[in-house]
């Protein structure tokens, strides 16, 4: 069977080269490449946000960001935003928004760079270890048992929908009703 041969070949290669390699490259090279990739990607997103902010200087949105309350919030973001940048690298999708917002709100680059570096170290560690293992596990599962992988996907989607509906229902019951106010 072709898939069984692929699985055996993959396991033999893993034993010979190590689990966390990419086409025979050692782990540290793959990690360094992932680190550099995310530094460039997230840094570019930050600078894109800075560019958007510069391009919207004379708009209503920019006027809203110059008020007293907005200025206080932006000052807090400049002070406490770097941990948000770093921790955003534990997520998928949110990190792009956080990096874009950091640029748009003109977080000082020095603070951003420190947060970006730590976040990139975390991201590279996650994706070159656990992330790689999950991806290869899914590939092998697809080759051997595609129905099981599809069922797991449906189960994950159903669980996500259930959790979102449950949260929405809880938020509705926690919100004050119009006649209670």
């Amino acid at each position: 069977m072709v898939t069984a041969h692929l699985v055996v070949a993959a396991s033999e290669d893993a034993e010979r080269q190590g689990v966390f390699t990419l086409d025979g490259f050692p782990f540290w090279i793959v990690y360094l490449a992932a680190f550099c990739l995310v530094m460039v990607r997230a840094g570019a997103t930050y600078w894109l946000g800075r560019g958007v902010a510069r391009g919207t200087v004379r708009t209503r949105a920019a006027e809203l960001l110059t008020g007293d309350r907005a200025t206080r919030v932006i000052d807090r973001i400049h002070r406490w935003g770097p941990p948000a940048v770093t921790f955003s690298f534990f997520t998928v999708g949110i990190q792009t928004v956080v990096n874009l917002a950091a640029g748009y709100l003109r977080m000082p680059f020095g603070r951003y760079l420190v947060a970006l570096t730590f976040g990139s170290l975390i991201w590279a560690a996650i994706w070159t270890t656990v992330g790689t293992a999950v991806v290869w596990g899914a590939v092998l599962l697809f080759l051997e048992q595609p129905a099981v992988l599809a069922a797991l996907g449906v189960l994950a989607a159903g669980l996500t929908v259930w959790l979102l509906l449950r949260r929405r229902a809880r938020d509705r019951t926690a919100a004050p009703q119009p006649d209670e106010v």
Side-chain angles (χ1 to χ4, degrees):
M1 185 171 197
V2 173
T3 56
H5 175 69
L6 290 173
V7 171
V8 170
S11 65
E12 288 172 0
D13 285 343
E15 289 174 15
R16 188 172 63 248
Q17 299 171 354
V19 175
F20 303 115
T21 64
L22 183 64
D23 205 19
F25 289 100
F27 169 76
W28 69 272
I29 291 176
V30 176
Y31 178 85
L32 185 61
F35 171 77
C36 291
L37 176 76
V38 76
M39 283 288 290
V40 169
R41 187 202 65 201
T45 304
Y46 170 84
W47 287 110
L48 178 65
R50 294 287 289 243
V52 169
R54 186 171 177 89
T56 59
V57 169
R58 293 185 180 94
T59 64
R60 177 80 175 123
E63 290 175 16
L64 292 173
L65 294 175
T66 59
D68 289 338
R69 184 174 183 199
T71 303
R72 285 193 307 271
V73 169
I74 291 170
D75 286 342
R76 273 191 232 127
I77 290 170
H78 288 178
R79 185 176 307 122
W80 299 106
V85 170
T86 299
F87 290 117
S88 74
F89 285 90
F90 283 104
T91 67
V92 175
I94 294 174
Q95 63 186 266
T96 302
V97 173
V98 170
N99 285 289
L100 190 66
Y104 185 79
L105 296 174
R106 296 178 190 93
M107 180 183 291
F109 183 69
R111 289 181 184 172
Y112 174 77
L113 186 59
V114 170
L116 171 63
T117 302
F118 284 114
S120 296
L121 289 168
I122 291 166
W123 184 90
I126 290 170
W127 283 100
T128 57
T129 57
V130 177
T132 304
V134 168
V135 168
W136 282 114
V139 167
L140 290 175
L141 187 58
F142 174 75
L143 292 174
E144 286 295 315
Q145 301 288 330
V148 172
L149 183 61
L152 288 173
V154 168
L155 182 66
L159 180 62
T160 301
V161 168
W162 178 76
L163 288 171
L164 290 172
L165 291 173
R166 183 175 165 205
R167 180 178 175 188
R168 182 181 288 173
R170 186 179 59 217
D171 289 348
R172 280 190 204 141
T173 59
Q177 301 300 322
D179 53 342
E180 292 178 9
V181 176

